[in-house]
Amino acid sequence: MKTVLILGATSDIAVALAKKFAEQQYNIQLAARKPAQLKLLQAEIKISYKVNCTIHAFDAIQYYTHHEFFGNLIPKPDVVISIFGATENEYEAFNDWDIAQRMINTNYTGVVSILNIVSKHYIGQKKGTIIGISSIAGDRGKASTLVYGSSKAALNTYLSGLRNKCFKENVHVMTVKPGFVKTRMTTSFKLPKILAATPTEFSQILYCSYQQKKDVVYVKWFWKYIMLMVKCIPEFQFKKMK
Ligand SMILES: NC(=O)c1ccc[n+]([C@@H]2O[C@H](COP(=O)([O-])OP(=O)(O)OC[C@H]3O[C@@H](n4cnc5c(N)ncnc54)[C@H](OP(=O)(O)O)[C@@H]3O)[C@@H](O)[C@H]2O)c1
């Protein structure tokens, strides 16, 4: 029986993913900075899907704890999904370095820290899958997502490089770029119904793409073409747009 580790397991997307993998008879390792919040989910997974489910304390920006965190996992997971992320008010982030730094450290530095450790282990055993949740916001810099988008752009480049590094070692790295997903992160946004995915839809698309060993996945699929068009707009034009 395979095991999946979910980093940032208190997010709505993570809950849906944990249930999806449990339904497929994976054992589940849930990791979050507030592990006590995971007890109900753990019980639900164990009872509903009859798989093992464990809870682990993990803080993405406590980099120096990451070696011990991964070292203590028994068994080592076959699949690692990095979901944690921080979205802060961009106006405040522009004016307050602590806020900007927290976003950069959570969305980029923290992911690099833990996935370097995971990928070293996977390269050593010549198998494993790493799934990184990024965002379409990383595809092009915009005023409205200045710090968030640039941290996700850095993450995209890291995951692409990691995929390149790991390919010959039989380790698969998948980048997931959601558009809008209906979660607590987006409760304050007025999401156009057709553009937004539910966490359940997200989990189905991710699981299917993981099985197909895709490299880069947009959720939903049409974001790939929307972002292709956005990326084609010349910079002299793009800088004038909202
Ligand atoms: N929702 C969308 O429309 C959308 C679109 C594009 C990309 N995404 C990406 O999808 C992922 C999940 O987003 P979401 O919408 O589910 O957001 P969310 O509900 O705000 O979830 C964010 C998760 O990250 C965790 N987290 C934050 N800082 C952490 C830290 N230092 N250490 C460990 N965990 C930490 C949070 O844990 P706590 O419970 O402890 O706060 C929470 O579980 C994020 O990477 C986000 O950028 C979302």
Side-chain angles (χ1 to χ4, degrees):
M1 212 163 167
K2 285 190 175 180
T3 300
V4 61
L5 166 66
I6 300 181
L7 300 165
T10 49
S11 93
D12 297 339
I13 292 175
V15 172
L17 276 171
K19 290 180 184 172
K20 180 71 197 171
F21 276 81
E23 184 189 286
Q24 302 300 320
Q25 292 299 293
Y26 280 70
N27 288 322
I28 310 292
Q29 293 171 333
L30 302 169
R33 59 183 169 173
K34 298 168 199 150
Q37 290 186 1
L38 297 168
K39 291 217 160 122
L40 263 180
L41 177 64
Q42 179 190 35
E44 188 187 342
I45 286 175
K46 281 182 169 180
I47 294 165
S48 305
Y49 303 102
K50 313 270 181 275
V51 297
N52 195 17
C53 180
T54 51
I55 293 176
H56 309 268
F58 170 79
D59 191 325
I61 57 178
Q62 298 294 320
Y63 317 120
Y64 298 103
T65 62
H66 290 179
H67 265 289
E68 197 183 347
F69 161 77
F70 192 71
N72 285 342
L73 291 176
I74 302 171
K76 293 288 175 276
D78 302 275
V79 182
V80 173
I81 311 180
S82 167
I83 299 181
F84 59 83
T87 321
E88 313 261 1
N89 180 300
E90 286 288 349
Y91 175 80
E92 287 168 13
F94 191 61
N95 290 294
D96 182 338
W97 171 241
D98 284 345
I99 296 175
Q101 194 181 32
R102 190 163 59 237
M103 243 194 302
I104 296 164
N105 286 348
T106 309
N107 294 338
Y108 178 64
T109 320
V111 186
V112 175
S113 169
I114 185 64
L115 293 189
N116 274 356
I117 294 166
V118 173
S119 55
K120 244 176 263 170
H121 175 77
Y122 282 174
I123 287 170
Q125 66 178 20
K126 297 218 175 293
K127 64 174 178 179
T129 299
I130 293 170
I131 300 174
I133 311 299
S134 183
S135 170
I136 57 162
D139 278 8
R140 189 149 193 189
K142 280 198 303 162
S144 60
T145 55
L146 183 60
V147 178
Y148 176 77
S150 59
S151 64
K152 290 294 191 179
L155 176 60
N156 288 344
T157 305
Y158 169 75
L159 290 170
S160 167
L162 192 63
R163 182 157 43 248
N164 189 233
K165 184 177 178 68
C166 291
F167 173 70
K168 287 192 288 300
E169 314 291 344
N170 192 37
V171 177
H172 183 59
V173 178
M174 184 165 93
T175 308
V176 181
K177 296 183 181 180
F180 298 122
V181 189
K182 288 178 204 144
T183 65
R184 74 180 143 117
M185 184 188 265
T186 53
T187 38
S188 59
F189 302 178
K190 271 197 175 160
L191 301 179
K193 225 177 177 185
I194 190 153
L195 294 182
T198 63
T200 306
E201 280 175 304
F202 182 101
S203 67
Q204 281 158 353
I205 294 166
L206 183 144
Y207 186 78
C208 200
S209 308
Y210 151 68
Q211 286 203 305
Q212 293 168 359
K213 284 193 165 241
K214 288 199 176 162
D215 293 324
V216 181
V217 184
Y218 283 81
V219 181
K220 303 174 169 185
W221 62 269
F222 47 72
W223 284 108
K224 179 177 174 178
Y225 300 98
I226 294 174
M227 294 318 293
L228 192 65
M229 285 190 285
V230 171
K231 283 189 278 186
C232 285
I233 302 171
E235 197 63 27
F236 76 87
Q237 201 72 45
F238 194 72
K239 70 182 178 188
K240 299 175 197 157
M241 296 167 74
K242 281 219 168 173

